[in-house]
């Protein structure tokens, strides 16, 4: 009796959790193919009208471009800085290690609204070489790196621990300089870790909109920011299309990495 | 840090002593630069800003006043927002941990072949932008949304209903955003438990319910605390989801900060609110760290 009831409960929960997670995804996907200009169920006619509308609108296409540029920049900045810092933590002993650790990790736990506000206030009217920093894409990349870099650091610190330090020693014994050893021995052996943490950095930046809301102007606004602003005025099926495209960008990069990973497995 | 790192460092890269000491700082310099220039400096700047004055319509006027902090004690809007934020974060975290716990336990108990599918499912909310999640629920709850349509056409109700702009909608959205964090923390805890303890308990005559209370719950206590803290911190800082899905009066501290900054252009007030929010998050984190170190001290 007990066992039967548990089985029924487990089944009910499984149905609930699948429905819960799938509902917003499916609603969005379905709505993006709606032909009408209001959001209303049931959907009477289907078309690709709103996809055409999205790609025909310079404002939305520019926002998408901005998002991708900022996400790529964030990926490069946070992966390089996070990997180097993680290697320093794994290989060296130095003073103030716990303090430095806290300083690097702390931004990850800060609310986006606080980080965005702080950066906006501190760099609100700073200009470099005559160019306003505020509103520039670089500032958004650096702000997004406050979340992406600690994440890369955390993942890479764990990954570097799996590196067999004897091969590093062997490289030194054979006359390899530290820099050469790092690039030719260490990095290739942790490439999967680096690629996955870079992906996380990319996804975080692509999806983030609270910091970007504080830091972008009309010209540099990212897709999530534009979506948030237009949701506040009126929701149209165009927003559903934007959601689908944003998610598609994430899943395309995810599958590219899966393909790379499988090829990597075949090689060995 | 692992003890291994300190053991092997002396035999690590060879070179003069000063170079050995300088290398880690060189390696860390980009990360430190980002953390100091774009986190440390802005926080310090915000701390100073919170004591400035706000006169007329200007962003701020340099000065030194405690008004912005005093206002929090007297301003009913702020105390209401503080209460709302705490209540939302607390309830949504409890619900999230409960759902995440059952979900993780289910994945742990189910045969291996289901595992990958469930993990992919749990990854979804993590990979989707918060704005897309908001918009998804935004189309589900209103009068002309999918929920109302599904209920009416299935004959369960006769009139269209709207759950949009209710606290329920805000909780559904918040839980959705925090669920994957809880799930993955708890799954990693469950994976560390030997499933044989369940058989052992059953062999000794323990009912499933008793096994849960006396075996599983004590073993996963640490994971519950960690996942609760994680989702609490996240829920306190998030303002978009509750403000977009909940009622108009559902003002969280995050919403007030945004309102003061972008709406009222009162920089000192926005900075003071942020400092309080930041300190709150830091206190929660410190409590967790203390609890965590106590746990490891007890368990060896």
């Amino acid at each position: 009796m007990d066992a039967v009831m548990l089985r029924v409960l487990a089944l009910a929960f499984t149905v609930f959790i699948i429905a819960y997670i799938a509902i917003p995804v499916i609603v969005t996907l379905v709505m993006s193919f709606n032909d009408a200009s209001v959001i209303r169920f049931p959907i009477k006619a289907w078309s690709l009208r709103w996809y055409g509308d999205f790609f025909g609108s310079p404002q939305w296409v520019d926002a998408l471009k901005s998002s991708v540029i900022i996400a790529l920049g964030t990926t490069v900045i946070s992966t390089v800085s996070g990997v180097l810092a993680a290697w320093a933590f794994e290989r060296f002993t130095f003073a103030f290690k716990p303090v430095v650790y806290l300083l690097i990790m702390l931004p990850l736990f800060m609310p986006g609204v606080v980080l965005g506000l702080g950066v906006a206030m501190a760099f609100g009217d700073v200009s470099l070489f005559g160019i306003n920093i505020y509103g520039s894409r670089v500032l958004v990349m650096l702000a997004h790196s406050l979340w992406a870099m600690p994440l890369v650091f955390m993942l890479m610190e764990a990954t570097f621990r799996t590196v067999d330090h004897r091969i590093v020693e062997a490289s030194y014994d054979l006359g390899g300089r530290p820099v050469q050893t790092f690039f030719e021995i260490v990095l290739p052996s942790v490439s999967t870790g680096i690629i996955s943490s870079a992906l996380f950095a990319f996804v975080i930046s692509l999806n983030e909109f609270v910091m970007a809301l504080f830091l972008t102007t009309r010209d540099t606004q990212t897709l999530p920011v534009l979506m948030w602003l237009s949701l506040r005025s009126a929701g149209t099926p165009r927003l559903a299309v934007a959601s689908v495209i944003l998610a598609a960008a994430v899943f395309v990069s995810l599958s590219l990495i899966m393909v790379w990973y499988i090829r990597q497995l075949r090689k060995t | 840090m692992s003890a291994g790192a300190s053991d092997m460092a002396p035999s690590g890269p060879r070179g003069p002593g000063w170079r050995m000491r300088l290398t880690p700082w060189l390696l860390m310099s980009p990360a430190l630069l980002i953390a100091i220039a774009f986190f440390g400096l802005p926080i310090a700047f915000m701390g100073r800003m919170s004591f400035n004055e706000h006169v007329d319509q200007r962003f701020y006027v340099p000065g030194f006043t405690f008004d912005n902090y005093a206002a929090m004690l007297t301003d009913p809007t702020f105390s209401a927002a503080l209460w709302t934020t705490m209540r939302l974060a607390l309830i949504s975290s409890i619900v999230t941990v409960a759902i995440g716990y059952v979900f993780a336990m289910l994945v742990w108990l189910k045969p291996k072949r289901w595992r990958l599918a469930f993990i992919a499912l749990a990854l979804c909310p993590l990979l989707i932008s918060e704005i897309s999640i908001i918009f998804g629920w935004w189309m589900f709850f209103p009068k002309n949304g999918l929920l109302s349509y599904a209920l009416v056409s299935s004959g369960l109700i006769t009139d269209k209903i709207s759950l949009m702009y209710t606290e329920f909608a805000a909780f559904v959205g918040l839980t959705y955003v925090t669920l994957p964090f809880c799930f993955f923390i708890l799954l990693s805890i469950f994976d560390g438990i030997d499933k044989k303890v369940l058989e052992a308990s059953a062999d000794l005559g323990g009912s499933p319910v008793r096994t849960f209370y006396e075996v599983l719950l004590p073993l996963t206590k640490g994971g519950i605390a960690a996942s609760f803290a994680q989702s609490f911190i996240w829920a306190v800082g998030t303002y978009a989801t509750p403000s977009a899905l909940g009622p108009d009066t559902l003002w969280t501290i995050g919403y007030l900060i945004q309102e003061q900054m972008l709406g009222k252009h009162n920089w000192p007030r926005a900075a003071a609110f942020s400092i309080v929010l930041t300190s709150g998050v830091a206190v929660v984190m410190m409590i967790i760290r203390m609890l965590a170190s106590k746990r490891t001290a007890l368990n060896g």
Side-chain angles (χ1 to χ4, degrees):
Chain A
M1 184 60 216
D2 249 8
V4 174
M5 218 171 79
L6 275 182
R7 211 165 269 262
V8 171
L9 279 179
L11 189 70
F13 182 83
T14 310
V15 171
F16 158 77
I17 199 82
I18 292 173
Y20 183 40
I21 294 178
I23 280 173
V25 178
I26 291 170
V27 172
T28 308
L29 208 57
V30 166
M31 187 50 78
S32 72
F33 296 108
N34 186 9
D35 187 58
S37 41
V38 286
I39 289 169
R40 172 188 279 269
F41 283 93
I43 289 167
K44 299 212 172 69
W46 305 86
S47 80
L48 289 172
R49 174 187 156 196
W50 288 102
Y51 282 87
D53 176 82
F54 181 95
F55 287 107
S57 154
Q59 195 192 9
W60 288 81
V61 173
D62 281 352
L64 178 63
K65 267 189 220 153
S66 241
S67 276
V68 173
I69 293 170
I70 288 172
L72 287 175
T74 306
T75 308
V76 172
I77 294 171
S78 53
T79 306
V80 170
S81 55
V83 167
L84 290 180
W87 181 242
F89 265 77
E90 177 56 26
R91 252 338 245 181
F92 298 87
T93 47
F94 48 86
F96 309 114
K97 209 165 182 174
V99 180
V100 175
Y101 185 82
L102 199 66
L103 184 67
I104 292 178
M105 288 304 291
L106 207 55
L108 186 59
F109 297 94
M110 286 294 136
V113 61
V114 171
L115 293 177
L117 185 80
V119 173
M121 277 182 182
F123 296 90
D125 39 30
V126 177
S127 56
L128 210 64
F129 310 117
I131 303 165
N132 241 341
I133 291 189
Y134 181 77
S136 71
R137 293 197 179 99
V138 176
L139 192 63
V140 186
M141 291 173 195
L142 288 161
H144 281 176
S145 296
L146 290 175
W147 274 355
M149 186 261 289
L151 199 77
V152 172
F153 172 75
M154 198 170 75
L155 291 170
M156 287 314 294
E157 216 207 344
T159 311
F160 277 138
R161 251 181 245 152
T162 64
V163 173
D164 186 355
H165 66 256
R166 280 170 307 184
I167 56 166
V168 181
E169 296 297 317
S171 166
Y172 290 140
D173 289 342
L174 293 170
R177 286 178 300 110
V179 175
Q180 193 184 1
T181 306
F182 179 71
F183 279 106
E184 290 178 14
I185 308 289
V186 179
L187 282 193
S189 66
V190 292
S191 52
T192 305
I194 292 179
I195 297 284
S196 356
S197 41
L199 175 74
F200 273 107
F202 182 79
V203 171
I204 282 181
S205 174
L206 197 68
N207 286 340
E208 202 284 334
F209 76 96
V210 178
M211 287 190 234
L213 183 65
F214 283 103
L215 296 172
T216 51
T217 60
R218 245 189 108 74
D219 298 324
T220 52
Q221 148 180 108
T222 61
L223 189 56
V225 169
L226 188 58
M227 286 169 72
W228 170 251
L229 295 176
S230 37
L231 179 64
R232 300 311 265 173
S233 50
T236 60
R238 190 198 281 135
L239 275 170
V241 172
S243 283
V244 171
I245 288 168
L246 205 56
V250 170
F251 285 103
V252 164
S253 38
L254 194 69
S255 21
L256 280 180
I257 279 159
M258 288 290 256
V259 170
W260 178 87
Y261 182 65
I262 290 165
R263 285 180 66 178
Q264 207 66 5
L265 277 183
R266 284 218 188 106
K267 255 193 247 167
T268 50
Chain B
M1 273 315 302
S2 65
S6 51
D7 288 341
M8 60 202 207
S11 61
R14 283 134 208 194
W18 62 268
R19 210 208 241 162
M20 265 296 295
R21 277 202 299 277
L22 202 63
T23 318
W25 294 102
L26 266 178
L27 288 171
M28 287 186 304
S29 56
L32 281 178
L33 188 74
I34 293 173
I36 290 169
F38 297 94
F39 175 64
L41 189 76
I43 292 284
F45 197 87
M46 230 158 40
R48 173 69 191 90
M49 177 65 78
S50 67
F51 294 107
N52 279 338
E53 285 166 55
H54 177 67
V55 185
D56 302 331
Q57 290 306 308
R58 291 155 71 188
F59 290 157
Y60 65 95
V61 178
F64 196 84
T65 170
F66 286 98
D67 279 0
N68 299 306
Y69 290 98
M72 287 178 218
L73 298 173
T74 54
D75 186 2
T77 319
F78 181 80
S79 39
L82 185 67
W83 169 238
T84 305
T85 310
M86 287 298 153
R87 194 165 49 94
L88 274 180
L90 201 66
I91 298 175
S92 79
S93 303
I94 291 171
V95 173
T96 310
V97 171
I99 296 176
Y101 192 91
V102 179
F103 190 15
M105 189 162 66
L106 208 68
V107 173
W108 178 61
L109 288 172
K110 283 250 163 135
K112 266 263 178 321
R113 60 175 185 275
W114 297 107
R115 197 181 158 89
L116 204 64
F118 277 120
I119 286 179
L121 186 71
L123 268 174
C124 276
L126 204 62
L127 295 175
I128 299 171
S129 176
E130 196 188 336
I131 182 69
S132 304
I133 293 169
I134 292 172
F135 186 60
W137 291 112
W138 196 88
M139 291 184 289
F140 182 70
F141 283 126
K143 219 170 183 151
N144 290 319
L146 186 60
L147 177 69
S148 170
Y149 171 66
L151 287 177
V152 170
S153 55
S154 66
L156 284 171
I157 52 169
T158 47
D159 292 320
K160 286 183 173 181
I161 52 152
S162 167
L163 287 175
M164 196 58 203
Y165 306 123
T166 59
E167 285 199 7
F168 177 74
F171 280 122
V172 169
L174 259 183
T175 301
Y176 194 91
V177 175
T178 49
L179 185 63
F181 299 103
C182 280
F183 170 77
F184 284 110
I185 292 174
L186 286 164
L187 184 63
S188 72
I189 299 286
F190 272 115
D191 281 341
I193 300 173
D194 191 340
K195 274 184 208 161
K196 288 199 192 90
V197 294
L198 298 181
E199 286 166 38
S201 172
D203 287 348
L204 293 170
S207 67
V209 176
R210 195 151 166 224
T211 305
F212 174 74
Y213 277 112
E214 292 182 13
V215 180
L216 276 187
L217 212 53
L219 282 172
T220 49
K221 249 183 353 207
I224 293 174
S227 59
F228 178 83
Q230 177 69 58
S231 73
F232 187 83
I233 287 177
W234 192 260
V236 161
T238 307
Y239 78 91
T241 305
S243 86
L245 295 176
D248 280 346
T249 49
L250 199 69
W251 287 4
T252 59
I253 298 188
Y255 181 79
L256 280 195
I257 293 173
Q258 185 233 240
E259 181 64 19
Q260 290 291 342
M261 175 78 179
L262 299 179
K264 300 204 169 121
H265 297 294
N266 188 343
W267 287 25
R269 188 62 55 87
F273 287 174
S274 301
I275 293 290
V276 170
L277 184 58
T278 311
S279 320
V281 170
V283 167
V284 173
M285 271 183 70
M286 253 180 306
I287 293 173
I288 300 155
R289 272 196 92 99
M290 258 157 58
L291 290 177
S293 58
K294 212 188 264 171
R295 207 167 53 240
T296 44
L298 276 178
N299 300 347

